[in-house]
Amino acid sequence: DTEVTQTPKHLVMGMTNKKSLKCEQHMGHRAMYWYKQKAKKPPELMFVYSYEKLSINESVPSRFSPECPNSSLLNLHLHALQPEDSALYLCASSRTFPGHFSPLHFGNGTRLTVT
Amino acid sequence: GDSVTQMEGPVTLSEEAFLTINCTYTATGYPSLFWYVQYPGEGLQLLLKATKADDKGSNKGFEATYRKETTSFHLEKGSVQVSDSAVYFCALTGAFAIYNQGGKLIFGQGTELSVKP
């Protein structure tokens, strides 16, 4: 069982919809991440939060809006997405960031389809 | 900048065969090295790690040794099972964040393994 929980598991949304992805961890980790993954490719980093502050934004389009309400929760708000945004969205956490000795723990992801 | 190169897949093996997935890296200093595994329909799981030269990481019958002289971290398993079918990612975090894109986890391209009964 993964220690990082993501909801929902699957999401289908139209290009005019607004939806949110949610992620939760209770390992006391102070760094949380959003990744986007296309089929059989490595995950691509989108955002990093360290101590609830946005640390890295990998030039992600503004239609993706992250939020970190507290040290255990991470949200990704979606608005006006494009079909090419369809992918597996993975949340991860680690003890610290940067974390040379701190491996990432991943959730099972949200499979997003934009129609 | 830091980078990871993995052997291309897919790799197809028969059950009980010996597995090697090659991974080499380029990094400044002494990075930490990781193998992650992704089973179908799931997220990534940490399989094993090594944080200094000559360390051997091991888990679930898989092993990898941090070789500084060859900048390699090859994944091996003596006898694979059908349940090992997955995509395997080699990854690193650099010792110096300034050279490692701010301390990010750098992934290889992944190697798909398919084990036939």
Side-chain angles (χ1 to χ4, degrees), chain B residues 21-48:
Chain B
I21 300 178
N22 289 339
C23 171
T24 57
Y25 67 89
T26 301
T28 302
Y30 291 83
S32 289
L33 303 173
F34 307 92
W35 276 101
Y36 283 87
V37 58
Q38 186 171 30
Y39 298 103
E42 297 186 8
L44 277 73
Q45 298 177 24
L46 179 66
L47 183 58
L48 51 85

Side-chain angles (χ1 to χ4, degrees), chain A residues 2 33 35 37-38 40-45 48 55-56 58 88 90 97-109 111, chain B residues 30-32 34 36 38 41-46 49 51 87 89 93-97 101-105 107-110 112:
Chain A
T2 181
Y33 309 73
Y35 282 85
Q37 187 183 27
K38 293 284 197 179
K40 297 181 183 176
K41 297 291 187 186
E44 299 170 19
L45 183 64
V48 181
S55 185
I56 291 181
E58 290 287 88
L88 181 67
L90 293 165
F97 178 83
H100 185 38
F101 301 107
S102 182
L104 268 63
H105 297 252
F106 286 85
N108 280 331
R111 177 74 60 190
Chain B
Y30 291 83
S32 289
F34 307 92
Y36 283 87
Q38 186 171 30
E42 297 186 8
L44 277 73
Q45 298 177 24
L46 179 66
K49 67 176 184 178
T51 57
V87 180
F89 292 98
T93 54
F96 303 105
Q101 304 173 48
K104 303 172 197 173
L105 186 63
F107 286 99
Q109 286 303 302
E112 183 179 11

